[in-house]
């Protein structure tokens, strides 16, 4: 599903990173990579915890998958790559557990948005409503799948993980359609402002258009991974190597970093 980062999760991961690295029985090069990545995320952009973990998770998978490809020629690269992939898998599980507490925040968001009465365009409004429905349904499906894997309930988790992937992919696809619709509306406004010579309004529209383009790129990157995790035989399902999954996830995470940093800059500039 589309990550909805929670503002109350801001923390400095310096202590957490040092503690985690002290528990990892891994080569020094792995520890340096993990520490450097954590500090890069926390120093330059003060992000909420879920996005920090997401970025580290996919970047570890990217580097680990790339190093694992050198397994035939370099034993140390094989060990380092394996350690990074195991670390990435643990972070992925951590993200699943953290989302156990996101139902109410998502429900509050969906309730506040309602049927999108404040939206000027009907297309944007109904696409957003459907996106919220897909996101809301994602959580209970993932909770059931997680509980089944943890043997807390006696059901098979496979079909529930499939439901999660379908809902996530649906949300991403709807997000792409929404951004395309918004881009079309913004282009119309841009042409109007150009005729009227409103330079300031034009620059604001250009920034909004760039933001929508970044959102499309982020959603497409995540959507490619969603297809990869579908059952075999569906498009390119199961064909991505680890490094490519990590690359797509890292790309969408970095775009989220850019968008969040840009949003913070705009807020500070407007006060």
């Amino acid at each position: 599903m589309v990550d909805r980062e929670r503002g109350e999760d801001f923390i400095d991961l310096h202590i957490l990173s040092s503690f985690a690295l002290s528990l990892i029985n891994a080569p020094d090069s792995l520890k340096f990579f993990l520490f450097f990545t954590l500090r890069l995320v926390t120093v330059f952009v003060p992000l909420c915890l879920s996005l920090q973990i997401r970025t580290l998770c996919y970047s570890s998978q990217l580097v680990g998958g790339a190093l694992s490809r050198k397994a035939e020629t370099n034993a140390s690269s094989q060990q380092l790559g394996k350690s990074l992939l195991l670390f990435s898998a643990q972070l992925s599980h951590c993200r699943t557990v953290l989302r156990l507490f996101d139902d109410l925040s998502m429900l509050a968001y969906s309730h506040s948005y309602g049927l999108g009465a404040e939206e000027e365009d009907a297309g944007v409004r109904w696409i957003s409503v459907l996106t919220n429905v897909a996101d809301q349904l994602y959580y209970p499906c993932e909770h059931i799948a997680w509980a089944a894997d943890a043997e807390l309930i006696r059901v098979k988790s496979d079909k529930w993980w499939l439901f999660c992937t379908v809902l996530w992919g649906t949300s991403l696809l709807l997000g792409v359609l929404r951004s395309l619709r918004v881009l079309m509306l913004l282009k119309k406004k841009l042409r109007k402002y150009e005729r009227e010579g409103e330079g300031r309004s034009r620059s604001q529209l250009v920034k909004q258009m760039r933001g929508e383009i970044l959102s499309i790129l982020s959603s497409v990157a995540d959507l490619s991974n969603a297809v990869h995790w579908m059952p075999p035989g569906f498009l390119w399902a199961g064909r991505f190597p680890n490094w490519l999954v990590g690359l797509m996830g890292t790309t969408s995470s970095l775009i989220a970093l850019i968008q969040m940093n840009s949003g913070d800059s705009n807020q500070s500039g407007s006060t």
Side-chain angles (χ1 to χ4, degrees):
M1 59 158 295
V2 177
D3 286 320
R4 298 190 182 277
E5 311 301 344
R6 294 176 296 167
E8 68 271 23
D9 286 337
F10 284 89
I11 65 169
D12 183 355
L13 284 186
H14 178 69
I15 298 177
L16 176 60
S17 62
S18 301
F19 174 73
L21 296 179
S22 67
L23 299 179
I24 298 176
N25 183 19
D28 291 338
S29 54
L30 170 59
K31 294 182 178 181
F32 174 78
F33 166 77
L34 297 178
F35 182 80
F36 176 78
T37 304
L38 279 167
R39 296 312 297 158
L40 182 66
V41 170
T42 56
V43 169
F44 289 97
V45 186
L47 301 171
C48 57
L49 177 59
S50 54
L51 184 53
Q52 290 172 333
I53 297 175
R54 187 184 201 274
T55 305
L56 183 58
C57 175
Y58 279 116
S59 60
S60 299
Q61 188 172 8
L62 169 60
V63 178
L67 291 176
S68 297
R69 300 180 66 188
K70 302 179 181 180
E72 295 82 2
T73 58
N74 193 327
S76 61
S77 295
Q78 180 184 21
Q79 179 60 37
L80 178 58
K82 182 179 179 180
S83 297
L84 281 170
L85 291 176
L86 290 173
F87 182 70
S88 175
Q90 290 301 312
L91 288 179
S92 179
H93 180 71
C94 174
R95 295 180 63 223
T96 300
V97 173
L98 287 176
R99 284 195 293 268
L100 291 173
F101 308 97
D102 282 350
D103 299 74
L104 293 180
S105 60
M106 181 64 221
L107 184 60
Y109 174 84
S110 298
H111 181 266
S112 64
Y113 187 85
L115 296 179
E118 296 182 357
E119 296 285 358
E120 297 179 359
D121 182 73
V124 173
R125 178 169 63 251
W126 288 111
I127 291 175
S128 299
V129 170
L130 291 175
T131 301
N132 290 340
V133 171
D135 288 347
Q136 193 68 63
L137 291 175
Y138 174 92
Y139 288 109
C141 290
E142 185 182 55
H143 300 343
I144 294 173
W146 169 82
D149 284 343
E151 298 183 353
L152 299 177
I153 56 176
R154 294 183 179 180
V155 298
K156 292 185 178 180
S157 65
D158 293 349
K159 67 177 182 179
W160 292 103
W161 285 121
L162 177 58
F163 290 159
C164 290
T165 305
V166 171
L167 289 168
W168 183 40
T170 300
S171 175
L172 292 168
L173 185 58
L174 288 170
V176 171
L177 294 177
R178 183 188 186 279
S179 292
L180 290 174
R181 177 63 178 171
V182 171
L183 276 176
M184 185 180 69
L185 296 173
L186 289 175
K187 285 182 179 180
K188 291 181 179 180
K189 289 185 178 181
L190 184 61
R191 287 193 293 266
K192 176 183 177 182
Y193 289 148
E194 286 177 344
R195 290 194 301 267
E196 296 176 355
E198 299 184 23
R200 184 175 181 180
S201 299
R202 182 182 182 279
S203 63
Q204 292 176 350
L205 286 178
V206 171
K207 290 181 180 179
Q208 292 179 28
M209 292 174 67
R210 289 174 181 171
E212 294 300 333
I213 292 173
L214 287 176
S215 295
I216 292 173
L217 293 176
S218 176
S219 294
V220 169
D222 282 333
L223 186 59
S224 66
N225 278 343
V227 173
H228 165 71
W229 286 316
M230 291 292 287
F234 181 76
L235 298 178
W236 57 85
R239 298 182 183 180
F240 278 11
N242 281 316
W243 69 266
L244 186 53
V245 174
L247 177 62
M248 294 295 102
T250 301
T251 298
S252 64
S253 297
L254 290 177
I255 290 175
L257 296 179
I258 294 172
Q259 291 179 316
M260 183 170 289
N261 192 35
S262 176
D264 292 340
S265 300
N266 291 338
Q267 289 180 0
S268 61
S270 62
T271 56

